[in-house]
Amino acid sequence: MSLSFFWSREFLTNRYFLWLLFWCNALGTVYGYIWYGDQLVDTLEKQPLWQIVFVPDSPTASLFFTLSLLWILYKPKSQWVNRIGHVIQALAVVTSVKYGVWAISIIFAGWSQGNAAAWQDWMLIASHGAMAIEALLYVRFFGFRWVALLIAALWTLLNDAMDYTYDIYPWLPYTLWDHVDLVRNFTVVLTLLSILVSWLALRQAKRS
């Protein structure tokens, strides 16, 4: 058995593997929201209620991907349900790539500024790396097109605007507190690159 089998359609769309991936992502999503617990409480105490939806970035990206797997497992007959699914799939790809790379980059940036490494950092690096990789692996099995991708792009850019306008961005390592402007600029550039990568991956998927 060659290594290429593990990213083949036969392996990646096997229902047993899809269910395994679904539950891994579902549990990771729940853990992610728990991880954001203190920031969610802090936001509810200090910010308007409507801003809460923009706080838990990575868990929401993971939630989008988890839901996207259901559209592979159970293909809806309704056109409208499919359209909703396509938007969720586009959001899954853009946000998983963006926040997967973002979290890893911020951890390494914090280390470079003197933040002490902890075992949780390695866990986050592994889990967020997996987020980005699985999104790019599964884009070819998703049914979204450029309209859904545009909606996902606008939502992700809106999320950036909310994060850095109202200071509800993910809490940073203390060594980066004086570099929020640089983090903001990096985040917006990363969003644009994630949109571009998602579009290129979608084009490649349509050719294959």
Side-chain angles (χ1 to χ4, degrees):
M1 181 186 300
S2 66
L3 286 176
S4 61
F5 171 75
F6 293 102
W7 56 83
S8 67
R9 176 180 292 270
E10 179 184 359
F11 177 75
L12 293 175
T13 60
N14 178 279
R15 292 185 70 83
Y16 293 107
F17 183 73
L18 284 170
W19 276 117
L20 175 63
L21 199 61
F22 173 87
W23 287 113
C24 287
N25 278 273
L27 292 173
T29 298
V30 172
Y31 179 79
Y33 283 116
I34 294 172
W35 180 276
Y36 268 87
D38 290 341
Q39 186 173 357
L40 290 169
V41 171
D42 186 71
T43 302
L44 287 172
E45 291 176 349
K46 299 177 181 178
Q47 307 285 119
L49 178 62
W50 63 267
Q51 293 181 11
I52 198 71
V53 69
F54 297 104
V55 174
D57 295 334
S58 293
T60 303
S62 178
L63 176 62
F64 288 141
F65 186 80
T66 303
L67 294 175
S68 295
L69 293 176
L70 291 177
W71 263 263
I72 300 177
L73 285 161
Y74 300 103
K75 297 187 183 301
K77 296 180 180 179
S78 167
Q79 186 178 12
W80 285 105
V81 174
N82 268 321
R83 287 178 179 175
I84 293 170
H86 291 165
V87 172
I88 292 173
Q89 290 168 352
L91 284 164
V93 177
V94 174
T95 60
S96 293
V97 172
K98 184 260 184 82
Y99 293 117
V101 174
W102 186 91
I104 295 172
S105 301
I106 292 301
I107 290 171
F108 279 108
W111 288 350
S112 72
Q113 295 297 312
N115 193 46
W119 71 266
Q120 293 95 331
D121 294 336
W122 293 108
M123 179 269 292
L124 291 172
I125 288 171
S127 60
H128 284 79
M131 280 176 57
I133 292 169
E134 66 184 5
L136 293 175
L137 281 175
Y138 276 87
V139 67
R140 59 186 164 133
F141 307 125
F142 294 156
F144 70 88
R145 293 296 182 261
W146 69 269
V147 174
L149 182 58
L150 177 61
I151 294 171
L154 292 174
W155 169 261
T156 310
L157 288 168
L158 174 64
N159 201 124
D160 289 348
M162 295 297 103
D163 278 358
Y164 295 95
T165 298
Y166 298 105
D167 295 333
I168 53 174
Y169 49 83
W171 285 348
L172 301 170
Y174 75 94
T175 52
L176 298 180
W177 289 353
D178 294 332
H179 304 287
V180 174
D181 287 350
L182 288 175
V183 173
R184 178 199 61 209
N185 296 340
F186 168 73
T187 301
V188 174
V189 170
L190 183 57
T191 295
L192 296 174
L193 288 175
S194 298
I195 295 166
L196 175 61
V197 167
S198 300
W199 177 68
L200 291 174
L202 181 61
R203 286 191 63 190
Q204 182 62 35
K206 289 173 67 176
R207 291 176 181 173
S208 61

